[in-house]
């Protein structure tokens, strides 16, 4: 019992740390807004692999990585997750650099609700009436935004869908956080490195444009790998629904940064959509707490009945 509690508490800390770091990540990307989004993502991939290599050696994870490389099932899953996370990174960086962080934050607000839909579609889970209403309300909010400011709604939907699928497949993949991320970045590195070399060779690369840019790019590996490692480690320790609720931290920080620091305009369509999403998440959270308390009462009653069964038995 103590071990389980410590396991969950560790997962909560890891998950919260990951989402806090992701929340402030737009500040990092904005400092590199003179670079192409594809160049930033390519550097994230290459420097992540270089950052992870020493960790793999220090923690002696080569045997586990070799086992993963030798499994067709694991490699197929990680090839899929690598493509998903690379696409997610590219869309998100593009959104930040092109003043669409509001749509980016909306995408990550939507992600827990997309997790619910994945549970229904892929795991055949059933929704309560409150959950069904919450999902419908969120869908209505997205529709309002699509009609009122629809030129960028694709950003929100792409980010929500790609990251929800990434989290789902990484959770079910039989590989730990460090090993999985190392293989994912290794799969992506040849393409990323080729793109960087082409940009530098054609004079379009910005790696050595100024000392600050060079330093920021060198930090790309740590800025990318640390929160992602924390997230994947948390996903192994926490129920998927709990991990989804922690994600509210990151988009809340991003929302504030977009409006207060970046000066992005909050339109009426944005306000209606965000209001619908926040209300849907509140309904979902309250329903989850109610269901959790009911389950806890049922478990307590079952334990009490089991403990009472022998002494209470009439001879």
């Amino acid at each position: 019992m103590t071990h389980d509690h410590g396991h969950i508490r560790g997962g909560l800390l890891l998950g919260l740390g990951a989402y806090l770091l992701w929340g402030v990540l737009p500040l990092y990307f904005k400092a590199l807004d003179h670079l192409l989004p594809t160049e930033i993502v390519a550097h994230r991939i290459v420097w992540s692999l270089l950052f992870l290599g020493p960790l793999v050696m220090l923690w002696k994870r080569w045997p586990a990585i070799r086992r993963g490389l030798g499994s067709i099932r694991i490699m197929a899953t990680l090839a899929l997750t690598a493509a998903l996370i690379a696409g997610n990174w590219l869309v998100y960086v593009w959104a930040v650099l092109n003043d669409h962080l509001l749509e980016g934050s909306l995408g990550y607000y939507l992600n827990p609700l997309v997790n619910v839909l994945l549970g229904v579609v892929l795991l055949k889970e059933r929704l309560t009436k409150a959950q069904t209403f919450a999902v419908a309300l969120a869908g209505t909010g997205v529709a309002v935004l699509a009609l009122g400011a629809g030129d960028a709604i694709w950003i929100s939907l792409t980010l929500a869908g790609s990251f929800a699928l990434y989290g789902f497949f990484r959770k079910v993949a039989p590989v730990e956080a460090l090993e999985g991320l190392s293989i994912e970045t290794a799969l992506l590195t040849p393409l990323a490195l080729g793109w960087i070399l082409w940009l530098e060779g054609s004079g379009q690369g910005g790696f050595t444009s100024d000392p600050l840019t060079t330093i920021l790019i060198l930090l790309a590996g740590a800025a990318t790998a640390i929160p992602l490692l924390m997230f994947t480690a948390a996903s192994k320790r926490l129920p998927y629904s709990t991990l989804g609720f922690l994600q509210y931290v990151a988009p809340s920080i991003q929302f504030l940064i977009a409006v207060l620091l970046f000066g992005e305009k909050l339109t009426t369509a944005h306000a209606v959509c965000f209001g619908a999403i926040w209300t849907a998440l509140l309904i979902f959270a309250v329903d989850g707490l109610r269901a959790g308390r009911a389950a806890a009462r049922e478990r307590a009653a079952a334990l009490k009945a089991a403990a009472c069964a022998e002494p209470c038995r009439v001879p």
Side-chain angles (χ1 to χ4, degrees):
M1 193 74 172
T2 303
H3 173 74
D4 290 342
H5 179 72
H7 200 63
I8 292 175
R9 183 173 62 182
L12 285 170
L13 291 174
L14 287 166
L16 183 60
Y19 287 123
L20 284 171
L21 290 173
W22 276 326
V24 299
L25 199 58
L27 299 174
Y28 172 79
F29 293 138
K30 205 69 170 178
L32 294 171
D33 62 358
H34 53 291
L35 303 182
L36 293 171
T38 51
E39 183 178 8
I40 295 174
V41 172
H43 277 291
R44 290 185 76 181
I45 292 167
V46 172
W47 293 105
S48 292
L49 184 62
L50 294 175
F51 177 82
L52 294 168
L55 294 182
V56 169
M57 292 186 288
L58 179 65
W59 295 340
K60 300 179 180 178
R61 300 294 182 84
W62 282 116
I65 288 181
R66 282 196 294 269
R67 285 193 297 271
L69 293 173
S71 168
I72 295 177
R73 178 192 168 198
I74 291 176
M75 289 303 295
T77 302
L78 293 179
L80 174 60
T81 56
L84 286 168
I85 199 61
N88 182 275
W89 288 347
L90 184 57
V91 171
Y92 184 67
V93 171
W94 185 93
V96 173
L97 299 190
N98 287 274
D99 300 322
H100 287 297
L101 182 55
L102 274 177
E103 284 76 15
S105 67
L106 173 61
Y108 291 117
Y109 271 123
L110 281 172
N111 190 77
L113 297 170
V114 176
N115 290 341
V116 174
L117 292 177
L118 286 179
V120 172
V121 175
L122 299 179
L123 302 178
K124 308 303 179 184
E125 296 175 352
R126 298 185 60 134
L127 298 181
T128 66
K129 290 182 179 179
Q131 291 172 335
T132 302
F133 176 75
V135 172
L137 181 62
T140 302
V142 172
V144 169
L145 182 59
L147 292 173
D151 58 331
I153 190 64
W154 67 271
I155 297 171
S156 306
L157 298 178
T158 301
L159 291 176
S162 60
F163 198 70
L165 287 169
Y166 176 79
F168 176 82
F169 286 111
R170 284 291 282 137
K171 183 173 178 64
V172 301
V175 60
E176 293 299 321
L178 178 58
E179 292 88 327
L181 184 57
S182 297
I183 294 174
E184 285 172 342
T185 51
L187 290 172
L188 294 168
T189 290
L191 181 61
L193 184 58
W195 181 244
I196 292 171
L197 293 175
W198 185 86
L199 287 174
E200 292 297 328
S202 63
Q204 300 179 61
F207 180 51
T208 57
S209 58
D210 62 81
L212 179 59
T213 296
T214 302
I215 292 171
L216 289 175
I217 289 177
L218 289 174
L219 293 174
T224 299
I226 289 175
L228 202 53
L229 280 172
M230 295 171 73
F231 167 77
T232 50
S235 73
K236 299 293 184 180
R237 293 166 169 81
L238 295 175
Y240 202 46
S241 57
T242 303
L243 191 65
F245 283 122
L246 282 178
Q247 189 176 339
Y248 304 158
V249 173
S252 297
I253 297 173
Q254 294 164 6
F255 177 87
L256 292 174
I257 289 174
V259 176
L260 300 179
L261 296 183
F262 293 173
E264 294 187 19
K265 185 179 179 181
L266 186 64
T267 65
T268 301
H270 279 116
V272 171
C273 184
F274 276 102
I277 297 296
W278 289 332
T279 304
L281 294 175
L282 179 61
I283 292 171
F284 196 83
V286 170
D287 185 71
L289 288 173
R290 186 182 297 122
R293 288 171 181 170
R297 286 194 297 269
E298 289 178 5
R299 287 194 298 269
L303 289 173
K304 184 177 180 180
C308 184
E310 289 298 325
C312 294
R313 185 174 294 162
V314 178

